[in-house]
Amino acid sequence: MAEKPSSKRKRSTSAAKKPERSTSAADFPDRIFGIASPQSIGASLFTPGVLPEASTVGNFVSDPGQVERAVHLLADAGFEVLQANEMMINIAGPRDLYESAFGTTLVAEERPTRKSGQIEDTATFFDTTDTDVSGLCNTSGTRFEDVLEGVAIEEPAYPAAVKA
């Protein structure tokens, strides 16, 4: 006589499937790109529900001295500083540097996305385990907390295919 499937199994197959997360080194590139936000004069770029608009963009600007301090701290920590302006600092570094600098754990996660030509596929996103915002590294309690509001790990991007 065949066994009935357990109700536990039934629930897990009928529930929405969550993306699988991995901490395996094989799932991470040598460099991960991020955007650091220096402390803003007005509102943080990471404030939920607050979006920059033409009339409010000045609220997200940072003092040039603050940007310079943040650039020096990031470079001193080992990050490659790619570009800096009064709103953001583009950085790159290995996974272990992000984890040690921001006291977090990074995970690789396959998520559905649309690639060139509107092809539905999956892509690898890098996320943190300690914030509710995808890819956000919290700077609280780190040497960066006085100069950075946070660091957003860049998401994969696929240019739209244009037909000639």
Side-chain angles (χ1 to χ4, degrees), residues 50-148:
V50 176
L51 298 174
E53 297 176 354
S55 63
T56 63
V57 74
N59 293 332
F60 304 98
V61 172
S62 304
D63 175 76
Q66 188 81 326
V67 174
E68 189 175 333
R69 285 189 296 281
V71 164
H72 289 298
L73 273 175
L74 288 162
D76 184 57
F79 286 99
E80 181 182 353
V81 177
L82 306 170
Q83 182 180 3
N85 61 41
E86 59 191 12
M87 295 189 82
M88 62 187 75
I89 304 166
N90 294 86
I91 60 173
R95 171 192 178 189
D96 61 339
L97 179 56
Y98 279 87
E99 290 181 335
S100 63
F102 304 115
T104 192
T105 299
L106 295 185
V107 294
E109 184 175 277
E110 288 298 308
R111 296 181 193 165
T113 192
R114 289 189 189 268
K115 294 187 176 178
S116 297
Q118 295 297 309
I119 296 170
E120 292 185 19
D121 200 354
T122 61
T124 305
F125 289 71
F126 303 109
D127 198 0
T128 59
T129 58
D130 55 343
T131 68
D132 291 336
V133 178
S134 177
L136 177 62
C137 297
N138 185 353
T139 60
S140 296
T142 72
R143 66 190 274 200
F144 303 98
E145 73 180 330
D146 292 334
V147 295
L148 296 178

